[in-house]
Amino acid sequence: MRILSVVGNRPQFIKSAPLSLALRNRADEIVLHTGQHYDHELSQVFFDELGLEPPKHRLEAGSGSHAEQTARMLPGIEAAVAEEKPDLVLVYGDTNSTLAGALAASKLRVPVAHVEAGLRSFDRTMPEELNRVLVDRVSSLLFAPSDTAVANLEAEGITVGVHQVGDVMLDANLRLAPIARQRSQALELAGVESGGYALATVHREANTKAPALGRIVDALNALEEPVVFPLHPRTAGALDRQGLRLRGHVHPAPPVGYLDFAALASQARIILTDSGGVQKEAYWYEVPCVTLRDNTEWVETVEAGWNRLAGTDPDSIAAAVRDAAPADEHPPLYGDGHAADLIADVLCTMDHA
């Protein structure tokens, strides 16, 4: 089995690691890095930390609008597909890299496998939602992380090639989180103690524009505890352009690698984020989460009582932080940590003659 895996941002590096390991000695995997995250700490560091083989193909997608970035990726991915002649193109999540990989493969009549299929926020103003819907439409294999995702696909008439496998991010989490707490010095460098700080991440395009980013900054500035705030390059630039200032208890930091982030997330008192992946990580670490959006594709974390939707209103964020506390129960969500093995089994037994 010859597989071309398309990755381009932080969550995709994490998701690809367990699956790359599961595919070793069972398939010939070629990795293409689109360059969607071009900052070292958001890209190369994951190949270093997670023990991944370096990508054979590297593009330089860089920044830009949803359409511009996707368009820049397409020729390079098409060229790699034509050169490598894979049996299948593997894409992850809901980014522009995901969409470009799926479109390039479809154009060249190569089957697409989508890891994290079926997620829906039902907010078509989000580029990520459009990517999810489009990629699921052109995929031959759809690996869903939950029963809710399977039901979403069924509601759209997609039932063939759907496999409920759990979440490959849980595989990575179980493998690497204990190592992170032992190895990382991130808490010491940030000057915080376990259980005595909030961790914040903001990266979605809508939240880095005015007035949303200013409202989020107001909310962080109003918190009474230390806030560790690793800055996505887009967010750092937006703070400067908009002249927004963080109070002394909010500690901006450069982007951190996966192990350092795992150490920070697993020992925070509370997490504030607009990231889907971080919402799940908070749940697995049993850390209450406040989501800086009005909706989420990970609805199970909200239903379980560990995640609160607060949008960007400072009063709503303050109330969510004030009321957030560990829920009485913590049911297992998104599999048992063996999603990558299940996906590898399906991929390596499919008929590709």
PDB file of all heavy atoms in Angstrom, residues 220-241:
ATOM      1  N   LEU A 220      -9.095  38.331  29.312  1.00  0.00           N
ATOM      2  CA  LEU A 220      -7.884  37.794  29.924  1.00  0.00           C
ATOM      3  C   LEU A 220      -7.308  38.778  30.933  1.00  0.00           C
ATOM      4  O   LEU A 220      -6.842  38.390  32.017  1.00  0.00           O
ATOM      5  CB  LEU A 220      -6.840  37.475  28.845  1.00  0.00           C
ATOM      6  CG  LEU A 220      -7.210  36.401  27.817  1.00  0.00           C
ATOM      7  CD1 LEU A 220      -6.075  36.207  26.815  1.00  0.00           C
ATOM      8  CD2 LEU A 220      -7.551  35.077  28.489  1.00  0.00           C
ATOM      9  N   ASN A 221      -7.338  40.061  30.586  1.00  0.00           N
ATOM     10  CA  ASN A 221      -6.813  41.082  31.500  1.00  0.00           C
ATOM     11  C   ASN A 221      -7.612  41.165  32.788  1.00  0.00           C
ATOM     12  O   ASN A 221      -7.097  41.597  33.827  1.00  0.00           O
ATOM     13  CB  ASN A 221      -6.814  42.451  30.806  1.00  0.00           C
ATOM     14  CG  ASN A 221      -5.690  42.594  29.802  1.00  0.00           C
ATOM     15  OD1 ASN A 221      -4.717  41.864  29.837  1.00  0.00           O
ATOM     16  ND2 ASN A 221      -5.824  43.563  28.894  1.00  0.00           N
ATOM     17  N   ALA A 222      -8.876  40.763  32.751  1.00  0.00           N
ATOM     18  CA  ALA A 222      -9.739  40.847  33.930  1.00  0.00           C
ATOM     19  C   ALA A 222      -9.608  39.636  34.851  1.00  0.00           C
ATOM     20  O   ALA A 222     -10.120  39.662  35.970  1.00  0.00           O
ATOM     21  CB  ALA A 222     -11.203  41.001  33.492  1.00  0.00           C
ATOM     22  N   LEU A 223      -8.946  38.579  34.409  1.00  0.00           N
ATOM     23  CA  LEU A 223      -8.798  37.400  35.257  1.00  0.00           C
ATOM     24  C   LEU A 223      -7.885  37.708  36.433  1.00  0.00           C
ATOM     25  O   LEU A 223      -7.001  38.559  36.356  1.00  0.00           O
ATOM     26  CB  LEU A 223      -8.237  36.227  34.449  1.00  0.00           C
ATOM     27  CG  LEU A 223      -9.119  35.713  33.305  1.00  0.00           C
ATOM     28  CD1 LEU A 223      -8.451  34.533  32.606  1.00  0.00           C
ATOM     29  CD2 LEU A 223     -10.495  35.306  33.825  1.00  0.00           C
ATOM     30  N   GLU A 224      -8.094  36.976  37.518  1.00  0.00           N
ATOM     31  CA  GLU A 224      -7.362  37.259  38.746  1.00  0.00           C
ATOM     32  C   GLU A 224      -6.169  36.333  38.950  1.00  0.00           C
ATOM     33  O   GLU A 224      -5.452  36.475  39.952  1.00  0.00           O
ATOM     34  CB  GLU A 224      -8.307  37.151  39.947  1.00  0.00           C
ATOM     35  CG  GLU A 224      -9.440  38.186  39.907  1.00  0.00           C
ATOM     36  CD  GLU A 224     -10.363  38.073  41.094  1.00  0.00           C
ATOM     37  OE1 GLU A 224     -10.181  37.112  41.888  1.00  0.00           O
ATOM     38  OE2 GLU A 224     -11.262  38.924  41.237  1.00  0.00           O
ATOM     39  N   GLU A 225      -5.953  35.405  38.034  1.00  0.00           N
ATOM     40  CA  GLU A 225      -4.855  34.451  38.201  1.00  0.00           C
ATOM     41  C   GLU A 225      -3.881  34.602  37.045  1.00  0.00           C
ATOM     42  O   GLU A 225      -4.214  35.197  36.010  1.00  0.00           O
ATOM     43  CB  GLU A 225      -5.404  33.032  38.237  1.00  0.00           C
ATOM     44  CG  GLU A 225      -6.160  32.626  36.982  1.00  0.00           C
ATOM     45  CD  GLU A 225      -7.034  31.414  37.225  1.00  0.00           C
ATOM     46  OE1 GLU A 225      -6.536  30.433  37.806  1.00  0.00           O
ATOM     47  OE2 GLU A 225      -8.218  31.445  36.840  1.00  0.00           O
ATOM     48  N   PRO A 226      -2.671  34.086  37.170  1.00  0.00           N
ATOM     49  CA  PRO A 226      -1.737  34.137  36.054  1.00  0.00           C
ATOM     50  C   PRO A 226      -2.306  33.434  34.823  1.00  0.00           C
ATOM     51  O   PRO A 226      -2.982  32.405  34.935  1.00  0.00           O
ATOM     52  CB  PRO A 226      -0.501  33.403  36.586  1.00  0.00           C
ATOM     53  CG  PRO A 226      -0.627  33.446  38.068  1.00  0.00           C
ATOM     54  CD  PRO A 226      -2.095  33.436  38.366  1.00  0.00           C
ATOM     55  N   VAL A 227      -2.030  33.994  33.655  1.00  0.00           N
ATOM     56  CA  VAL A 227      -2.484  33.414  32.395  1.00  0.00           C
ATOM     57  C   VAL A 227      -1.258  33.187  31.508  1.00  0.00           C
ATOM     58  O   VAL A 227      -0.544  34.141  31.188  1.00  0.00           O
ATOM     59  CB  VAL A 227      -3.481  34.330  31.664  1.00  0.00           C
ATOM     60  CG1 VAL A 227      -3.944  33.678  30.358  1.00  0.00           C
ATOM     61  CG2 VAL A 227      -4.671  34.674  32.548  1.00  0.00           C
ATOM     62  N   VAL A 228      -1.014  31.951  31.139  1.00  0.00           N
ATOM     63  CA  VAL A 228       0.043  31.630  30.185  1.00  0.00           C
ATOM     64  C   VAL A 228      -0.589  31.660  28.794  1.00  0.00           C
ATOM     65  O   VAL A 228      -1.582  30.978  28.538  1.00  0.00           O
ATOM     66  CB  VAL A 228       0.669  30.259  30.482  1.00  0.00           C
ATOM     67  CG1 VAL A 228       1.779  29.956  29.481  1.00  0.00           C
ATOM     68  CG2 VAL A 228       1.211  30.215  31.899  1.00  0.00           C
ATOM     69  N   PHE A 229      -0.011  32.438  27.891  1.00  0.00           N
ATOM     70  CA  PHE A 229      -0.659  32.743  26.604  1.00  0.00           C
ATOM     71  C   PHE A 229       0.337  32.523  25.462  1.00  0.00           C
ATOM     72  O   PHE A 229       0.889  33.482  24.932  1.00  0.00           O
ATOM     73  CB  PHE A 229      -1.148  34.185  26.645  1.00  0.00           C
ATOM     74  CG  PHE A 229      -2.070  34.591  25.511  1.00  0.00           C
ATOM     75  CD1 PHE A 229      -2.644  33.668  24.665  1.00  0.00           C
ATOM     76  CD2 PHE A 229      -2.348  35.943  25.306  1.00  0.00           C
ATOM     77  CE1 PHE A 229      -3.493  34.060  23.643  1.00  0.00           C
ATOM     78  CE2 PHE A 229      -3.195  36.356  24.288  1.00  0.00           C
ATOM     79  CZ  PHE A 229      -3.762  35.402  23.442  1.00  0.00           C
ATOM     80  N   PRO A 230       0.578  31.259  25.037  1.00  0.00           N
ATOM     81  CA  PRO A 230       1.442  31.035  23.866  1.00  0.00           C
ATOM     82  C   PRO A 230       0.788  31.643  22.629  1.00  0.00           C
ATOM     83  O   PRO A 230      -0.384  31.393  22.347  1.00  0.00           O
ATOM     84  CB  PRO A 230       1.506  29.506  23.759  1.00  0.00           C
ATOM     85  CG  PRO A 230       1.040  28.989  25.089  1.00  0.00           C
ATOM     86  CD  PRO A 230       0.076  30.002  25.599  1.00  0.00           C
ATOM     87  N   LEU A 231       1.541  32.427  21.894  1.00  0.00           N
ATOM     88  CA  LEU A 231       0.966  33.206  20.794  1.00  0.00           C
ATOM     89  C   LEU A 231       1.214  32.559  19.450  1.00  0.00           C
ATOM     90  O   LEU A 231       2.358  32.373  19.026  1.00  0.00           O
ATOM     91  CB  LEU A 231       1.545  34.624  20.792  1.00  0.00           C
ATOM     92  CG  LEU A 231       1.151  35.516  21.970  1.00  0.00           C
ATOM     93  CD1 LEU A 231       1.840  36.875  21.855  1.00  0.00           C
ATOM     94  CD2 LEU A 231      -0.354  35.702  22.033  1.00  0.00           C
ATOM     95  N   HIS A 232       0.130  32.222  18.773  1.00  0.00           N
ATOM     96  CA  HIS A 232       0.191  31.844  17.361  1.00  0.00           C
ATOM     97  C   HIS A 232       0.725  33.051  16.585  1.00  0.00           C
ATOM     98  O   HIS A 232       0.431  34.197  16.930  1.00  0.00           O
ATOM     99  CB  HIS A 232      -1.220  31.484  16.907  1.00  0.00           C
ATOM    100  CG  HIS A 232      -1.324  30.927  15.534  1.00  0.00           C
ATOM    101  ND1 HIS A 232      -1.190  31.715  14.414  1.00  0.00           N
ATOM    102  CD2 HIS A 232      -1.559  29.679  15.086  1.00  0.00           C
ATOM    103  CE1 HIS A 232      -1.338  30.960  13.339  1.00  0.00           C
ATOM    104  NE2 HIS A 232      -1.559  29.724  13.709  1.00  0.00           N
ATOM    105  N   PRO A 233       1.535  32.844  15.535  1.00  0.00           N
ATOM    106  CA  PRO A 233       2.064  33.995  14.791  1.00  0.00           C
ATOM    107  C   PRO A 233       0.976  34.962  14.315  1.00  0.00           C
ATOM    108  O   PRO A 233       1.175  36.181  14.345  1.00  0.00           O
ATOM    109  CB  PRO A 233       2.776  33.334  13.611  1.00  0.00           C
ATOM    110  CG  PRO A 233       3.179  31.993  14.119  1.00  0.00           C
ATOM    111  CD  PRO A 233       2.082  31.563  15.050  1.00  0.00           C
ATOM    112  N   ARG A 234      -0.170  34.432  13.875  1.00  0.00           N
ATOM    113  CA  ARG A 234      -1.262  35.300  13.427  1.00  0.00           C
ATOM    114  C   ARG A 234      -1.765  36.181  14.574  1.00  0.00           C
ATOM    115  O   ARG A 234      -2.021  37.369  14.404  1.00  0.00           O
ATOM    116  CB  ARG A 234      -2.417  34.447  12.895  1.00  0.00           C
ATOM    117  CG  ARG A 234      -3.657  35.251  12.526  1.00  0.00           C
ATOM    118  CD  ARG A 234      -4.855  34.340  12.320  1.00  0.00           C
ATOM    119  NE  ARG A 234      -4.707  33.520  11.136  1.00  0.00           N
ATOM    120  CZ  ARG A 234      -5.255  32.326  10.978  1.00  0.00           C
ATOM    121  NH1 ARG A 234      -5.956  31.789  11.952  1.00  0.00           N
ATOM    122  NH2 ARG A 234      -5.093  31.661   9.849  1.00  0.00           N
ATOM    123  N   THR A 235      -1.858  35.588  15.768  1.00  0.00           N
ATOM    124  CA  THR A 235      -2.361  36.325  16.928  1.00  0.00           C
ATOM    125  C   THR A 235      -1.368  37.385  17.376  1.00  0.00           C
ATOM    126  O   THR A 235      -1.750  38.512  17.712  1.00  0.00           O
ATOM    127  CB  THR A 235      -2.662  35.353  18.080  1.00  0.00           C
ATOM    128  OG1 THR A 235      -3.462  34.272  17.587  1.00  0.00           O
ATOM    129  CG2 THR A 235      -3.396  36.046  19.208  1.00  0.00           C
ATOM    130  N   ALA A 236      -0.082  37.033  17.387  1.00  0.00           N
ATOM    131  CA  ALA A 236       0.944  37.998  17.779  1.00  0.00           C
ATOM    132  C   ALA A 236       0.917  39.212  16.858  1.00  0.00           C
ATOM    133  O   ALA A 236       0.978  40.367  17.320  1.00  0.00           O
ATOM    134  CB  ALA A 236       2.320  37.338  17.753  1.00  0.00           C
ATOM    135  N   GLY A 237       0.805  38.973  15.552  1.00  0.00           N
ATOM    136  CA  GLY A 237       0.743  40.083  14.601  1.00  0.00           C
ATOM    137  C   GLY A 237      -0.494  40.934  14.797  1.00  0.00           C
ATOM    138  O   GLY A 237      -0.434  42.170  14.710  1.00  0.00           O
ATOM    139  N   ALA A 238      -1.625  40.279  15.084  1.00  0.00           N
ATOM    140  CA  ALA A 238      -2.870  41.023  15.267  1.00  0.00           C
ATOM    141  C   ALA A 238      -2.830  41.883  16.525  1.00  0.00           C
ATOM    142  O   ALA A 238      -3.349  43.008  16.532  1.00  0.00           O
ATOM    143  CB  ALA A 238      -4.047  40.055  15.327  1.00  0.00           C
ATOM    144  N   LEU A 239      -2.234  41.377  17.592  1.00  0.00           N
ATOM    145  CA  LEU A 239      -2.106  42.175  18.818  1.00  0.00           C
ATOM    146  C   LEU A 239      -1.327  43.452  18.545  1.00  0.00           C
ATOM    147  O   LEU A 239      -1.705  44.541  19.007  1.00  0.00           O
ATOM    148  CB  LEU A 239      -1.412  41.354  19.913  1.00  0.00           C
ATOM    149  CG  LEU A 239      -2.205  40.214  20.553  1.00  0.00           C
ATOM    150  CD1 LEU A 239      -1.295  39.363  21.419  1.00  0.00           C
ATOM    151  CD2 LEU A 239      -3.372  40.756  21.383  1.00  0.00           C
ATOM    152  N   ASP A 240      -0.242  43.330  17.800  1.00  0.00           N
ATOM    153  CA  ASP A 240       0.575  44.503  17.475  1.00  0.00           C
ATOM    154  C   ASP A 240      -0.192  45.478  16.589  1.00  0.00           C
ATOM    155  O   ASP A 240      -0.208  46.689  16.854  1.00  0.00           O
ATOM    156  CB  ASP A 240       1.867  44.071  16.787  1.00  0.00           C
ATOM    157  CG  ASP A 240       2.850  43.411  17.739  1.00  0.00           C
ATOM    158  OD1 ASP A 240       2.709  43.610  18.954  1.00  0.00           O
ATOM    159  OD2 ASP A 240       3.739  42.679  17.258  1.00  0.00           O
ATOM    160  N   ARG A 241      -0.816  44.958  15.545  1.00  0.00           N
ATOM    161  CA  ARG A 241      -1.523  45.844  14.603  1.00  0.00           C
ATOM    162  C   ARG A 241      -2.661  46.589  15.278  1.00  0.00           C
ATOM    163  O   ARG A 241      -2.923  47.757  14.965  1.00  0.00           O
ATOM    164  CB  ARG A 241      -2.076  45.031  13.432  1.00  0.00           C
ATOM    165  CG  ARG A 241      -1.026  44.563  12.440  1.00  0.00           C
ATOM    166  CD  ARG A 241      -1.681  44.046  11.169  1.00  0.00           C
ATOM    167  NE  ARG A 241      -2.638  42.988  11.432  1.00  0.00           N
ATOM    168  CZ  ARG A 241      -2.317  41.694  11.528  1.00  0.00           C
ATOM    169  NH1 ARG A 241      -1.051  41.324  11.390  1.00  0.00           N
ATOM    170  NH2 ARG A 241      -3.243  40.781  11.726  1.00  0.00           N
TER     171      ARG A 241
END
